[in-house]
Amino acid sequence: MANPLDPEMFDPICPSSAMPIQIGDKWTGMVVLCLEEGPRRFTELRVPLGGVTPKVLTQTLRAMERDGLLTRTAYDENPPRVEYELTELGRSLFSLIAAARAWSRDHLPALLAARAAHESAPAAPRLLRRSPPSGPGR
Amino acid sequence: MANPLDPEMFDPICPSSAMPIQIGDKWTGMVVLCLEEGPRRFTELRVPLGGVTPKVLTQTLRAMERDGLLTRTAYDENPPRVEYELTELGRSLFSLIAAARAWSRDHLPALLAARAAHESAPAAPRLLRRSPPSGPGR
DNA sequence: CAGCATCCCCCCCGATACTG
DNA sequence: CAGTATCGGGGGGGATGCTG
């Protein structure tokens, strides 16, 4: 429940940008996964989301709060403590994320292969003649 | 197989922009659905995708071709004829789109309600005091 | 610790006009 | 019919610096 998040739970090499599926904005899906085991603090979330700036993470969390995907609870302590926790609606995204992951596992390699093939051989024939014109020139 | 596409198969009122799931770029998912029943021509695709400009549709189709989601076949006729058809990989997106639609049907109203509630009452309390400071001022 | 302010860049997307 | 060429706006996202 309160286990520390794995700093490498998201592979930076993973070509997630190539994935034809996206949950919300860039970081939304990963935030959902980070909150799977229970509430987390702001800085705690930044660990696995390597490189995300506080501004962008705040934007993401505010948008998710606005959409009812999570709740934000600020405790009036010193130092400040804020916790983010998924709502039922937020948890409903798990099935969708699982479907996206399953698709990626099964089909993303084919997509990447197709992409690589097109980069190495962009000279593929773009014209097919099925019904030749009545009078071909020359 | 060759039934004309319904010009209103995509509801312009539908707040698809609010959906926390996106397949590829803006038009990718809709192109996949347009090609569900078989190959379609360029102009044929433009009908249900109201408002999409030829440049953007071309970009979308080229990207999908590059990723192996569809094939492009140009016939050397006059007037020109080009057909786009889903590949097996492209068809593999159907299950994902179905999952996204099911989620939207079941949960999008709640998301929109949460969003509307936040707009009408942004004055929600953002501070909770659980552990009162040792000495509250005054 | 949990942010806010500011600046900036890139890229997606659209509007318009033209072509083989 | 099926695009291409050019221009331009908007916003998501990142870098940097500062604050209660």
Side-chain angles (χ1 to χ4, degrees), chain A residues 22 25-27 51 53 55-56 80:
Chain A
Q22 180 149 349
D25 284 334
K26 180 175 180 181
W27 304 98
T53 61
K55 189 199 76 169
V56 173

Side-chain angles (χ1 to χ4, degrees), chain B residues 25-27 51 53 55-56 80:
Chain B
D25 285 334
K26 179 175 180 181
W27 304 97
T53 61
K55 189 198 78 168
V56 173

Side-chain angles (χ1 to χ4, degrees), chain B residues 2-54:
Chain B
N3 301 324
L5 290 170
D6 179 4
E8 299 181 1
M9 71 182 285
F10 301 112
D11 182 358
I13 308 303
C14 169
S16 56
S17 61
M19 272 182 52
I21 314 107
Q22 180 147 353
I23 308 291
D25 285 334
K26 179 175 180 181
W27 304 97
T28 306
M30 286 180 272
V31 168
V32 171
L33 292 179
C34 287
L35 297 177
E36 186 165 12
E37 296 180 2
R40 299 285 183 181
R41 305 179 62 171
F42 188 86
T43 304
E44 205 173 356
L45 288 172
R46 295 187 63 186
V47 176
L49 307 177
V52 69
T53 61

Side-chain angles (χ1 to χ4, degrees), chain A residues 48-71:
Chain A
L49 307 177
V52 69
T53 61
K55 189 199 76 169
V56 173
L57 182 55
T58 299
Q59 285 177 350
T60 303
L61 293 170
R62 291 287 194 280
M64 293 177 69
E65 184 191 11
R66 173 180 57 96
D67 286 348
L69 301 180
L70 52 77
T71 59

